[in-house]
Structure formats: structure tokens, C-alpha cells
Amino acid sequence: MVLPLLLASILAPPAVHAGAAGSVVRGPDLPAVTAGDTAIAHTLRLLTESGHNPYLSSPDYPDYVDELEALYAPVGFDLLWFDDSRPTRQARELVAVLGEAQLHGLDPQDYDAAKFEDFLDALGQGDAPHPTEYGLIDGGLSVGFLRYLSDLHIGRVNPANLHFGFNIEPKKLDLAAVVSEAIAKGEVRRAVEAVEPAFPQYERMQQVLAEYRQLAGLSLPLVPESGTVHPGDEYVGTGELRELLTALGDLPPGAVEDGPTYDGELVAGVERFQARHGLEADGILGKATYSHLNTPISQRVEQIELALERLRWLPDVAYEPWILVNIPAFELWVLDPEHPDHRIALDMRVIVGKALNKQTPAFRGDMQYVVLSPYWNIPYSIAVNEILPRATRDPGYIESRRLQIVRDFSWESPPLPATAENLAAIRSGRLKVRQMPGPGNALGRAKFIFPNADNVYLHDTPGHELFSRTRRDFSHGCIRLERPQDLAEWVLRDQDEWTPERIGTAMSADAPTRADLETPLPVILFYTTVMSDERQPHFFDDIYGHDEALQAALKHGHPYPS
């Protein structure tokens, strides 16, 4: 228990002077309080107005003072979690729920779960707590609940602070109303469950987190690095490899007998492991495969926790069709709640922006239309840095590459000759360059537009050989599609005039056609280095370094920068 004299020194600093009953007591650093308050009301009023509770491990909560006011003012700054000096059933339930924060990749210490549990357990085992201490605990429980609800629903870190284009403002809850209702109805746990992300992926990742925390507690072996090992070779680490792959679920128990030869089911297990870790599934043990095999399980747990945090940033689109691109996975999924095949209506490989200097941004947009057989409106930087030098050296370059010099990017803009004056006008920005539809067009046969500040879109590509690579960050920032016609047919599936035959014809034309979507389709360009299918998790390299940035932000603790 906290000593009453210590509490008094914290909550009533020398700057606050006494006053007659009903008068106002003021100090330079604390809000006005009513001298006639009880000790509990005095404490709760100060906690509410100052945004500071010395009992909490993270004592400052500037973002929650309005919510505390909305909770305590209607009850005259009386206790919410105690009844006749005894903790209510709701208080016990809340402490239990806060103690389970690790199930979501959150830390119970952030919400002082153990401290609250100790206090409640100590009640009745000694001297009665000072009334001020009841106020501190009651206010602390409310802050812990508010923090937990918010962290669980929208995440701890504002994605905008990490340059992710997700706006969490529309997702924010009336936290005080949620807490008040949970107390009144005695449904604390149900209130928490109601604010959890509704995505099936979130639930699967929780299961993966529990599994990998169990694995982290085992003494799993390191796999010996013995140069490049091909199927059929002798290998000194077959025992360690078998044990590790079995623990990770890539090898059925008992599938491989002891022996020095690397072959059979052991190779198949490595191939499954490689496929789950973004590697070429060739069964060859080499530098990259060894590195992933020997990555500490604790690091995988951290990746999973970061994945759960990012899933909490996502907008509420779980109950409508939407398109998801996971940038480090180099993969696109079309998700449809009504689709019978596990909600995934379509998936395909993609190519994303170069990690070094052309990174694809993460944000949410709304697809509004598709252009079939599009022009490629060439960005100024590419026109000046890549096209102009070649066109200056070779007068026939513009025509040979099916390029056009135009005044603007409207489809009706007529082409201009590649004269020295016009080339100079491209450099000054007065003229532009585009590529005509047809074979060799950099956008291929279709582009999918969801207007955004970065001018990023999905599109086809003539360079389909790159899709065979396991790492596919080759673009200038836009996203190249493996099967654009499949995507076009899906996004236009409910528009009778856009039959697959008409779409195919328009994609082979020598002039562009625009197909407007009757209903905008959410598109989310996402970034997470872990995802899970129905069976096992898949891990991806942190190609843009976003995991490291998020880990650094999470170390800040409460209150996180808003």
C-alpha cells in the first residue's frame, strides 16, 4: 500500500493552500478544486484535471483527460470500481482482462495489470487503504481501461507518425461511453471483445503468436552451416535440421529417420520452410536459408507483435470486398466476405517499388476506374533523366519506343514532332511525354486507378519474367500485376456491359478505354513482415526497414506521440 503521507505530498503540493468549505483552492500548477470535496473526490478531480496519476507506471495521460471528466463528473467524482470499499465484479474482470493483453501482442505492464491485481488481493489483509489511495486506484483502473481499449482498436502508435497513409481518426471510439456502458452492464470483457479488429487475419495472427511464444520457450537447435548443401548430399546437421523443422511444423513428426544424407522428406520440409520465408523453394541449403533457419524465435515473436499492431491500423473494411497488397510479401489478395473460398476471391504476385529509392507507400485508397490499353503518362523525372538523353543522341528514339510528345496528358492531345525545341520544352516542363498503348507499353494492357497524392496505381507490365523472382522490388513505386485481366474481370464483375470478352478486346486495342466502377472499391497498400494462412505463418524480409522504425516508436511507451 502507498503511505498516506506520501500520497498527500504528491496530491497536495505546497502551492495548494487550504480554504473554507465550499471555496476554491488554487495553485499555480494544479486546476481549481473544491475544498469541500471528500478525499476521494478531491483525488479523482485532481487526477482528471491534471492528466497525471503517480500510481501508474506511465503516469501522464494527456489524451484521456476529457474521457476521465466524462466518466467521473456525472457521478460527482465518486468511485467507479469500488462499492463500500470493496472492488466490484467489474473491477476484478477488468484486472483479469488487462492481464491478458499479451494475447494481442500488448504488454500487461503498460496497463499496470499486476499492480492492480496486487492491490485488490491485498484488500482486507491489513489496515484499510487511505481514501486517497482508493481514488488513485480507481482513476488508474479507468486510465488503464481507456488505454487498453484504444490500443486494441487503433493501435498504440499513430501510423501517420511513421509515414503510413492510414487515417485512424474515423476509427476512434467514444471511449468514455464504452467504459460507462461496460461498468453499467457488467460486461467489461464483452466491451473489449467488441473493439478487437474484426479481420480473420488478426485472429489467426493471435494464434500464431501463442504458438511462437511456446516455441520461444523451447531449446531449439541451431542448424550447422556447412556450405551449400544440395539434395542427396551428406550433411552433418540432419539431426538438428529435422528437430527444428518438426518443431516449426514444416516436417511431420517421425517423417525422417536418423541418417547423414540430406534427401527425401527432409528436403521437402526445407522447401516448405523456404516457401514460408520468402525464399526460392529449391531445397538447397545456402546462406539465406541458413540465416532464416537460425533466426531466433524471439525475433519472430517480435515480428508477429508488430504485425498485430499494424492490423489494428487498418480501416473498417472487413465486411466489404477490398483489395490488399502486402508490399514485402510481393503479393495481392482480393478479399470478399461472401466468397466461399476462405474469403479470398483472387490472389497474385506483384512487383513493388525499389527498396533503395522508389519505395511503394502504404495507404488506403478507393479504386474508381480502370483504363484498358492505357497510355503511360511518363513522370517528369523519368522523362528528363531517362528518355531525354537517349532521344537527344538518337533522333528516332521517340518513334521507335512508341512515345509521343504532347502538351498535356488528355487523350485528345495530338502528338508533336521530336524537334530540338520540343525536347527542350520537355526539360522545362512545358511539354510532356507519354507512351502509346500496345506491345511494349510500360503499363501493359491495364491500369487500376485509386486517386492518391503519391500517384501510385496498379498496372500490367510487359516484363512478366520478373514475376519468377522471389524478391520483386523493381518498380518506380507503382505496383505491377501478374494477372491484370483476372483483376479487371473481378472489379467489373457486377457491371453487365463489361463481359470478359469485352474486357479482353479492350485490353488488346490500340486506343485507351475507361471503365468506371459503379461502387468504389477499397484498396489497401499494406506493410507487414508476417501473415498467416489457414495452416502456418509466412515471414518476409523487412525490405524497407519499417519493422525497425515501428519497434523504435513502440519503445517510447505511454503516452505515445499522437
Side-chain angles (χ1 to χ4, degrees), residues 129-457:
H130 188 277
T132 300
E133 191 165 8
Y134 273 112
L136 282 172
I137 297 297
D138 202 90
L141 282 168
S142 295
V143 171
F145 198 11
L146 291 166
R147 281 174 167 169
Y148 188 51
L149 289 169
S150 178
D151 292 352
L152 192 57
H153 190 63
I154 62 173
R156 292 161 287 177
V157 175
N158 188 334
N161 292 327
L162 298 175
H163 309 292
F164 276 54
F166 300 125
N167 181 10
I168 60 173
E169 291 299 320
K171 285 189 66 178
K172 287 187 175 180
L173 301 166
D174 184 344
L175 294 173
V178 175
V179 172
S180 294
E181 184 176 4
I183 294 173
K185 293 184 175 181
E187 296 179 344
V188 170
R189 185 176 296 277
R190 184 172 296 181
V192 170
E193 293 171 351
V195 305
E196 294 176 13
F199 302 103
Q201 180 66 201
Y202 187 85
E203 184 176 352
R204 286 201 292 272
M205 292 302 298
Q206 282 186 275
Q207 296 168 356
V208 170
L209 178 61
E211 293 166 3
Y212 269 70
R213 279 182 172 154
Q214 285 187 333
L215 289 172
L218 303 178
S219 297
L220 296 177
L222 289 175
V223 174
E225 299 189 25
S226 183
T228 302
V229 180
H230 293 84
D233 289 350
E234 300 293 300
Y235 172 49
V236 297
T238 55
E240 292 88 347
L241 183 59
R242 180 184 66 251
E243 182 180 349
L244 178 63
L245 293 177
T246 301
L248 296 178
D250 295 301
L251 197 62
V256 178
E257 298 180 357
D258 292 339
T261 305
Y262 173 60
D263 60 4
E265 281 297 315
L266 193 55
V267 174
V270 168
E271 291 173 348
R272 285 189 285 270
F273 177 90
Q274 290 171 325
R276 288 197 306 112
H277 291 78
L279 302 169
E280 185 176 355
D282 55 11
I284 299 172
L285 296 176
K287 182 177 180 181
T289 300
Y290 286 131
S291 176
H292 281 277
L293 286 167
N294 290 325
T295 295
I297 298 298
S298 59
Q299 181 175 323
R300 298 304 188 195
V301 170
E302 291 177 356
Q303 282 183 260
I304 297 164
E305 291 174 342
L306 297 181
L308 286 165
E309 174 72 6
R310 291 192 178 105
L311 286 170
R312 292 188 276 266
W313 297 345
L314 288 178
D316 295 322
V317 294
Y319 302 107
E320 58 183 310
W322 53 297
I323 294 173
L324 173 71
V325 175
N326 185 17
I327 295 167
F330 313 112
E331 197 84 9
L332 174 148
W333 294 269
V334 174
L335 303 170
D336 186 349
E338 298 182 0
H339 195 275
D341 186 17
H342 306 295
R343 300 169 56 92
I344 298 176
L346 186 66
D347 69 276
M348 68 183 69
R349 290 174 287 189
V350 300
I351 293 169
V352 302
K354 298 175 185 176
L356 181 62
N357 56 2
K358 301 291 184 182
Q359 297 182 4
T360 297
F363 64 92
R364 180 254 166 90
D366 289 297
M367 186 181 295
Q368 296 182 5
Y369 62 95
V370 182
V371 179
L372 307 173
S373 295
Y375 286 110
W376 177 35
N377 297 327
I378 299 175
Y380 174 80
S381 61
I382 297 177
V384 170
N385 297 325
E386 300 181 24
I387 292 175
L388 272 185
R390 297 167 184 169
T392 302
R393 292 192 302 268
D394 178 7
Y397 180 82
I398 294 289
E399 183 177 355
S400 67
R401 295 304 175 108
R402 296 177 57 82
L403 302 176
Q404 293 180 338
I405 301 173
V406 292
R407 299 190 183 280
D408 57 54
F409 286 142
S410 66
W411 292 356
E412 298 78 17
S413 187
L416 302 173
T419 63
E421 292 78 11
N422 286 339
L423 294 178
I426 294 170
R427 185 175 300 278
S428 68
R430 291 182 291 113
L431 294 179
K432 304 179 184 300
V433 182
R434 69 185 178 195
Q435 188 177 33
M436 297 170 62
N441 183 286
L443 303 188
R445 301 167 297 155
K447 68 176 181 178
F448 302 78
I449 304 299
F450 40 101
N452 59 85
D454 295 295
N455 196 28
V456 168
Y457 46 86

